[in-house]
Amino acid sequence: MKELAVAIPSSIAETIKRKLKFLDPEIRQFLEIAAVYGQEFMPEIIAMASRRNVGQILDALDELRRLGFIKERTSDVFFFSEDVVRQIVYKSMSKSDLLQYHKLVGEAIENFYQGSLTNYIEQLANHFTIANDSQKALLYSKQAALKAKENYAHTLAIKFFDNALKYEDNIDDIFNIKYSLAEIYLLTGDYKKAIQQLNVCLKINPNAHRVYETLGSVYENMGEYNNSLKRYRQGLKITQGTDAVHTFKTAMAWVYTQLGQYLRAQKECEHILKKKKHVRKRDLSDAYIILGIIHLQLGKYTRAESCLKNGLRIRKSAGDKKRVAACYLDLALNYQELFKMKASETFYKKALTLYEAIGYQHGIVVSLLDLGTLYANFNLQKAEECYLKALSIAKLIGAKRDMVYLYDNLGNINYNRLMSDQTLFNYKQALTFAKKTNFDEGIIFSSIHLSEFYREKGQLKKGKSYLKSAQRVAGKINLRYYNFECLIEELHYALLTKNLKKANILSEKLISQLRAEHNVYYKIYGFIHRARTLGALKRYTKAHTYLKRALHFVKSLPRNWIAGEIYYVRGITYLKARKVREAENMFSQAGDIFKTIGNLRYLDKIEAKRDLLQT
């Protein structure tokens, strides 16, 4: 914890030092105490710290003001004329005086602000740390750290927790500090540091089940699902016969859900629900929520809605506002999958409002991110506003994983506004943060978008290098949606290079895999890309059949991106079949949609195709 470390021109420093040299020793002492306190100060504080009466201090301040060291803001508030003056005064003190004055100032703050001390614990931690008062440095560092953690000021919380560890010798308190640090590192995406802190906790207490729960969450966020399950099973073993056992069962069920092992996850949740009278509300609500997500993934939206609302009811009865808001997000997603966009928007906004009310910054980021993703289908400007607001908060709280999504989504918006430099910057930022946090899924989607960017620029070799990187990571984690994304991008290269045999094989493989798929969005894009391939193969009637099937899902919605893309591909298909009037009609409908959305990239593409119609 350092004070005042800014370079000062030597001429200015020498002038101020000369003035200091001729100051009355006692007046200089008052000035030095003021420099220790801060840029702005009150006479009463200086009086308490120097053990003098306020009248003496005011006389001294008059002299210091006359000499240009300080200025008067009001009758009872003074400040250094320039911060550089304060820095030089501070640096001119001997080490022994510095330690003594920090202690005196700390004690003065304790006395003067004793009725509102929580507003000054950060300053007290700093003062007593520099004064080498280990007992008070520990006390206030812990308080400052917890306050910062509550306010999601993660960098500050880490600073004060680390400082507290220098003085703490109680093993239980060391455990709690280490665990708190791990929670912060989990939130900010510093997973390696989180694991390091949690492993220390386990050395202190090998039977601390909450450590296994948090370790499981860390590995889950890293995409290391086997390691996550291993930690949850360890927690399950040591909590047998206690209420906490269901926490680990729901945690394992959630991992199975992410792995697509829906039947296994469903059995775990249903087993918990059978014992609902003996299960804590938190675990019971989680079981309902996970069942809701499973039904959502399986396309059973009515069942999903019922389960999610049961979970919501329990969370509301428990007064758990943070988890209520999380449930709103899940309901919003369910409605989005049903293409009930107004209902989806309503629940995203309800989650956002609730998170804002309780001051949960990470929840605000996630709500804005999800809301922006909804808007991206209809209005790029509104989507960008959400992403930029979320990014500013994510940077403040250090939420690196969310920053991966946000930079990538902003890259998509820039890309569709033909802002190439900004597109590339944002995609590369997303990839950088994904690599820093070992976020495999982020590496995949940001690499695919970089591949698409370079492919459309005609830089196929560079684009393919990013695709191969995405395929390598997707193969490692083996999550089907990312395998679909890689397959679709590989199909684009085959079509671009006119390798129609390969394109046909890839598109048939895509359709085959999507037969059992319940996610409507992936079905739609499967149909669109099969149609692209069939159009290239001059099988125009079959291509239109697939495009009509895709359009069926979204035709009742307001003007949206997917419909625009379907009309655009239909226009290309008609153009290849030399049906000029039909092609123009499709391009006109696509153009109207993309103009409403603000998608300049597709408007550019449509204009290029219309030029071909003229020839």
Side-chain angles (χ1 to χ4, degrees):
M1 300 203 173
K2 297 178 181 177
E3 281 275 353
L4 308 170
V6 178
I8 301 164
S10 57
S11 58
I12 297 173
E14 290 304 317
T15 302
I16 296 169
K17 283 178 183 178
R18 276 198 302 273
K19 283 187 175 183
L20 281 173
K21 189 176 179 181
F22 294 105
L23 267 182
D24 176 87
E26 189 172 52
I27 292 177
R28 178 167 177 167
Q29 180 192 24
F30 300 153
L31 182 65
E32 288 173 344
I33 289 172
V36 166
Y37 180 80
Q39 174 66 14
E40 190 173 274
F41 54 91
M42 291 186 292
E44 291 88 344
I45 287 284
I46 309 305
M48 278 188 174
S50 60
R51 310 292 195 262
R52 296 291 189 274
N53 63 55
V54 176
Q56 288 176 284
I57 300 302
L58 287 171
D59 289 342
L61 294 180
D62 281 342
E63 177 64 10
L64 290 169
R65 188 177 54 177
R66 186 184 67 79
L67 292 169
F69 284 102
I70 64 170
K71 293 180 180 179
E72 185 176 13
R73 192 174 303 284
T74 63
S75 59
D76 57 354
V77 177
F78 294 82
F79 64 98
F80 281 88
S81 54
E82 301 288 345
D83 193 55
V84 68
V85 175
R86 181 190 167 224
Q87 291 178 53
I88 292 166
V89 172
Y90 188 93
K91 289 178 180 180
S92 300
M93 284 184 269
S94 67
K95 187 174 180 180
S96 60
D97 284 345
L98 196 64
L99 268 61
Q100 181 191 3
Y101 294 158
H102 271 289
K103 185 175 177 64
L104 290 170
V105 167
E107 290 170 348
I109 291 171
E110 285 179 312
N111 291 324
F112 191 76
Y113 294 109
Q114 56 185 307
S116 57
L117 214 54
T118 53
N119 296 326
Y120 299 92
I121 52 177
E122 297 86 358
Q123 291 97 310
L124 289 168
N126 281 321
H127 286 305
F128 288 118
T129 294
I130 296 169
N132 285 333
D133 186 327
S134 58
Q135 187 177 353
K136 287 188 176 181
L138 172 61
L139 172 68
Y140 290 118
S141 291
K142 284 162 74 173
Q143 290 180 12
L146 290 170
K147 178 183 172 184
K149 187 182 176 213
E150 269 184 37
N151 291 315
Y152 309 102
H154 298 313
T155 303
L156 201 58
I158 290 167
K159 169 189 166 184
F160 284 117
F161 275 133
D162 282 340
N163 196 55
L165 283 171
K166 295 174 187 175
Y167 304 102
E168 187 59 79
D169 55 11
N170 181 291
I171 197 68
D172 291 332
D173 287 338
I174 290 172
F175 175 95
N176 289 329
I177 291 171
K178 290 283 185 181
Y179 185 77
S180 292
L181 281 167
E183 288 182 311
I184 294 169
Y185 289 131
L186 171 58
L187 277 173
T188 59
D190 284 338
Y191 301 127
K192 286 184 178 179
K193 288 183 179 179
I195 291 169
Q196 287 169 359
Q197 300 295 335
L198 291 167
N199 283 335
V200 174
C201 289
L202 286 178
K203 286 180 182 177
I204 296 171
N205 183 358
N207 293 313
H209 64 80
R210 62 173 172 156
V211 177
Y212 289 110
E213 183 185 354
T214 308
L215 262 173
S217 295
V218 173
Y219 283 116
E220 188 182 316
N221 281 313
M222 292 173 69
E224 294 187 20
Y225 297 113
N226 287 332
N227 271 329
S228 177
L229 286 169
K230 180 181 177 182
R231 298 311 186 278
Y232 289 145
R233 288 185 183 117
Q234 288 173 306
L236 188 67
K237 185 177 179 180
I238 63 175
T239 54
Q240 288 297 327
T242 71
D243 289 343
V245 73
H246 298 110
T247 298
F248 289 97
K249 286 186 176 181
T250 54
M252 290 169 65
W254 178 238
V255 175
Y256 295 144
T257 303
Q258 291 181 87
L259 289 168
Q261 298 175 18
Y262 300 131
L263 185 60
R264 195 171 184 181
Q266 189 171 344
K267 283 181 178 178
E268 286 282 6
C269 292
E270 287 174 347
H271 180 72
I272 291 168
L273 294 181
K274 284 177 183 176
K275 299 181 177 182
K276 62 172 67 177
K277 290 182 180 179
H278 308 288
V279 179
R280 294 181 300 188
K281 283 186 175 181
R282 171 187 162 174
D283 299 325
L284 193 61
S285 69
D286 285 351
Y288 275 118
I289 298 299
I290 294 166
L291 273 175
I293 300 296
I294 292 168
H295 291 313
L296 192 157
Q297 294 295 335
L298 294 174
K300 299 174 181 177
Y301 301 115
T302 304
R303 286 189 188 179
E305 183 178 4
S306 175
C307 288
L308 292 171
K309 285 185 173 178
N310 278 332
L312 178 61
R313 175 178 50 78
I314 294 166
R315 288 180 178 182
K316 281 184 173 179
S317 70
D320 191 342
K321 292 182 179 179
K322 188 189 292 187
R323 295 165 75 80
V324 165
C327 198
Y328 287 149
L329 292 178
D330 291 328
L331 278 163
L333 180 60
N334 189 60
Y335 289 125
Q336 192 171 340
E337 291 289 332
L338 283 166
F339 294 109
K340 294 182 177 179
M341 299 307 182
K342 282 291 182 185
S344 179
E345 181 184 22
T346 297
F347 276 95
Y348 281 137
K349 286 183 173 179
K350 286 178 79 168
L352 178 60
T353 301
L354 190 49
Y355 281 136
E356 287 175 336
I358 62 176
Y360 182 44
Q361 299 301 307
H362 186 250
I364 294 170
V365 170
V366 174
S367 300
L368 287 167
L369 172 58
D370 289 347
L371 196 55
T373 304
L374 177 71
Y375 288 145
N377 288 302
F378 305 95
N379 188 318
L380 291 183
Q381 185 176 340
K382 286 179 78 173
E384 184 182 39
E385 288 169 2
C386 289
Y387 294 148
L388 288 172
K389 186 176 178 182
L391 183 60
S392 67
I393 299 169
K395 286 178 178 178
L396 285 174
I397 65 174
K400 295 184 182 70
R401 183 168 178 167
D402 295 307
M403 287 164 67
V404 176
Y405 286 110
L406 290 162
Y407 276 121
D408 188 72
N409 288 352
L410 282 166
N412 291 338
I413 286 175
N414 299 143
Y415 189 32
N416 288 294
R417 284 180 170 170
L418 303 177
M419 300 165 65
S420 295
D421 291 344
Q422 198 61 38
T423 299
L424 199 54
F425 170 80
N426 282 320
Y427 283 158
K428 287 190 173 181
Q429 282 289 92
L431 183 58
T432 298
F433 278 106
K435 287 179 176 178
K436 280 182 180 178
T437 56
N438 298 307
F439 180 24
D440 286 338
E441 295 162 48
I443 292 171
I444 295 167
F445 60 68
S446 55
S447 294
I448 288 173
H449 287 143
L450 280 163
S451 170
E452 181 183 11
F453 176 83
Y454 284 116
R455 169 172 54 77
E456 291 209 351
K457 292 288 184 183
Q459 299 179 40
L460 302 193
K461 187 176 179 181
K462 199 164 189 177
K464 281 184 179 179
S465 69
Y466 283 106
L467 174 58
K468 285 178 182 177
S469 174
Q471 288 171 322
R472 187 166 55 251
V473 180
K476 182 181 79 172
I477 65 174
N478 196 29
L479 291 178
R480 70 182 190 284
Y481 292 142
Y482 292 107
N483 288 327
F484 290 160
E485 297 279 1
C486 290
L487 187 58
I488 287 170
E489 183 63 8
E490 188 178 2
L491 176 57
H492 276 293
Y493 280 100
L495 289 171
L496 187 63
T497 57
K498 303 194 184 306
N499 188 344
L500 299 186
K501 183 178 179 181
K502 183 178 180 181
N504 193 41
I505 291 169
L506 290 173
S507 66
E508 284 182 339
K509 182 180 178 182
L510 183 63
I511 290 296
S512 174
Q513 290 180 0
L514 288 171
R515 282 197 183 101
E517 180 54 52
H518 301 283
N519 184 297
V520 176
Y521 288 93
Y522 280 98
K523 276 186 176 292
I524 291 170
Y525 277 101
F527 294 155
I528 291 172
H529 287 90
R530 179 59 179 156
R532 282 180 180 271
T533 305
L534 290 167
L537 291 166
K538 299 183 180 180
R539 294 165 60 185
Y540 305 124
T541 303
K542 192 70 174 174
H544 283 298
T545 300
Y546 275 106
L547 290 168
K548 286 175 182 176
R549 287 173 70 184
L551 188 61
H552 172 75
F553 290 105
V554 296
K555 64 182 180 182
S556 62
L557 297 178
R559 291 179 172 184
N560 62 88
W561 186 313
I562 298 171
E565 190 167 350
I566 293 168
Y567 285 126
Y568 172 70
V569 176
R570 290 199 74 186
I572 292 173
T573 308
Y574 279 127
L575 181 60
K576 286 179 178 178
R578 301 184 184 280
K579 295 186 176 182
V580 175
R581 188 171 61 185
E582 290 87 343
E584 174 56 41
N585 180 36
M586 291 297 119
F587 289 141
S588 177
Q589 290 190 65
D592 288 345
I593 290 170
F594 287 122
K595 187 175 181 180
T596 300
I597 295 170
N599 191 317
L600 301 181
R601 174 170 154 251
Y602 266 93
L603 288 173
D604 218 33
K605 286 184 174 189
I606 290 165
E607 194 60 38
K609 295 300 180 186
R610 277 177 162 160
D611 288 344
L612 290 176
L613 288 175
Q614 305 305 316
T615 59

